[in-house]
Amino acid sequence: MKGTLVRSIGLVVALLLSSAGIAEAHVGTGGSSGFLSGFLHPIMGLDHVVAMVAVGLWGAQLGKPAIWLLPVTFPLVMALGGFLGLVGVPMPGVEIGIALSGVLLGAAVLTESRPPMIAAAILVGLFAIFHGYAHGAELPLGENALFFSLGFVVGTGLLHAVGIVIGLLYQWPWGKVTVRVAGGAVGVVGAVFLWNAIA
Amino acid sequence: MTAHAAPRSHWVAAMATLGFTAVPADASAHLMTTGLGPLFDGAAHFAMSPEAMLPVVALAIFAGLNGVAHARAAVQFLPATWLLSGFLGLLVGPLGISGAYESVPLIVLGSLAAANPSVPVWGTASLSILLGIAGGYGLGSEPSGARDGTLAVLGATLVAFVLVALVAAAVLKARWDWTRITARVVGSWTAACGVLLLGWALR
């Protein structure tokens, strides 16, 4: 009797296991959390925040075409860095590069540096790769890739926009001082991170 | 338990299992269920799929930045090929190729929208046809397990048409520098998402 009962239970379990479930891949769940975590990723790191804002500040300080060229090109170059981080290409000195970006971009805004456009673009592009790489290497598994990427890119772009909006103050005499002070603050934060990265 | 009991328990177990397995359920991979019917399910499916929407937006920006002839080419060719390719996908089903291909339209069309190069109208028309084929097939092949995929494909195509028409028209009407730059920034963000998506796929 006991054996029959066990066999019956086994039969039921085996048949239940063979019953088809509902395929629910990508039905939309997790999209919002993926976007939010991607959006917060660049915003929650102070070293990234100050550098992104500094790019906007410097672009506004340099005027056209830098003010629109930087926000158009920076996300693409940063995504290339993110790609390198995602696929695991080794890149030494990432933290130092990120901290240096704060120091140098902040110093550029503070001193109102006006290098040739191509030099400014190369400098910013180089730092964009470092920042993108750090984000790419840290991206968590299990998130919706496209929603996360969207949030990440939008978050970074909005940080630039904050810098550009602050940089628009540059057209007034008191605004010039404000923008330069903001650049100095970025440089100080960058220096602290550089100290931590080297020490 | 008597001699009758064992066969009876088997019979009950078999019937119970048959009852469980006979309960019909929809395969809902990548699908949306609005409760409003397959037409709206297809429309919602498109609207909730950024991998489908973003390339359409980027194409519309690119076409709008290049002028009215390009915008007309995009509005005419994209929905037509999207519909035909969607029906083809419905008949054939998913191809089972790498998910990395989804990043290609994002990168190509986003980069073009960001860089804003001058191309002939047939170039925009060709891009519209290629996107229609890829996007339409991708969405069309997914509802192949649904009850009425034809209406779902039609719903998705209608939303694609509305989206490309509205965005292209808005960009065409953009008079100020900053509005055109904003459109190009959206293109840049789209391409950046595509590059990251490619990285995710190859990770």
Side-chain angles (χ1 to χ4, degrees):
Chain A
M1 179 179 165
K2 190 177 176 184
T4 307
L5 186 63
V6 169
R7 274 200 301 275
S8 300
I9 293 171
L11 181 63
V12 170
V13 170
L15 288 174
L16 279 175
L17 285 175
S18 69
S19 64
I22 302 171
E24 290 186 329
H26 299 265
V27 286
T29 54
S32 57
S33 69
F35 181 87
L36 187 64
S37 53
F39 185 78
L40 292 176
H41 208 258
I43 291 174
M44 299 307 283
L46 185 62
D47 49 347
H48 295 294
V49 170
V50 293
M52 299 300 113
V53 171
V55 168
L57 285 174
W58 202 28
Q61 204 176 43
L62 292 173
K64 290 181 181 177
I67 193 169
W68 60 264
L69 196 61
L70 293 181
V72 170
T73 54
F74 192 95
L76 264 174
V77 181
M78 199 183 70
L80 283 175
F83 175 83
L84 296 176
L86 275 165
V87 297
V89 175
M91 185 182 288
V94 174
E95 291 304 320
I96 293 174
I98 290 170
L100 263 180
S101 71
V103 173
L104 294 182
L105 290 171
V109 175
L110 177 66
T111 58
E112 296 181 299
S113 298
R114 292 185 181 277
M117 190 60 220
I118 186 72
I122 289 173
L123 183 69
V124 170
L126 184 69
F127 289 142
I129 289 181
F130 279 120
H131 283 270
Y133 184 92
H135 288 304
E138 293 166 1
L139 291 187
L141 291 168
E143 296 285 2
N144 181 308
L146 189 50
F147 276 107
F148 188 97
S149 303
L150 261 177
F152 172 67
V153 171
V154 171
T156 302
L158 290 180
L159 286 175
H160 289 153
V162 168
I164 289 172
V165 169
I166 297 171
L168 290 177
L169 299 173
Y170 197 72
Q171 56 192 304
W172 293 290
W174 59 269
K176 285 186 180 177
V177 177
T178 308
V179 170
R180 292 181 67 182
V181 168
V186 168
V188 169
V189 174
V192 172
F193 278 100
L194 184 61
W195 178 263
N196 288 335
I198 294 173
Chain B
M1 186 177 278
T2 63
H4 284 295
R8 186 182 165 85
S9 66
H10 282 295
W11 175 246
V12 169
M15 289 305 291
T17 306
L18 190 63
F20 277 109
T21 53
V23 174
D26 292 334
S28 54
H30 290 268
L31 297 183
M32 297 294 299
T33 304
T34 61
L36 300 171
L39 184 76
F40 289 94
D41 289 350
H45 185 198
F46 177 87
M48 295 302 291
S49 303
E51 68 273 19
M53 284 183 70
L54 285 175
V56 174
V57 171
L59 174 71
I61 289 172
F62 173 65
L65 287 171
N66 273 285
V68 69
H70 295 259
R72 282 183 181 146
V75 169
Q76 287 167 2
F77 285 107
L78 177 79
T81 48
W82 193 288
L83 186 69
L84 294 174
S85 188
F87 287 145
L88 183 66
L90 198 62
L91 292 172
V92 178
L95 293 177
I97 54 178
S98 166
Y101 82 93
E102 283 185 345
S103 62
V104 175
L106 292 165
I107 295 171
V108 172
L109 292 169
S111 300
L112 285 172
N116 188 26
S118 292
V119 297
V121 176
W122 63 261
T124 306
S126 303
L127 287 168
S128 307
I129 290 169
L130 287 173
L131 178 60
I133 290 171
Y137 193 94
L139 280 194
S141 61
E142 286 167 3
S144 55
R147 281 187 293 274
D148 196 346
T150 308
L151 280 174
V153 168
L154 187 60
T157 306
L158 286 173
V159 181
F161 167 72
V162 170
L163 185 65
V164 72
L166 284 179
V167 175
V171 175
L172 265 176
K173 286 290 181 186
R175 298 282 180 223
W176 299 294
D177 274 355
W178 70 267
T179 48
R180 295 176 71 83
I181 290 164
T182 303
R184 291 177 63 183
V185 167
V186 172
S188 169
W189 289 5
T190 304
C193 286
V195 172
L196 288 171
L197 190 64
L198 183 63
W200 280 87
L202 298 177
R203 195 179 195 182

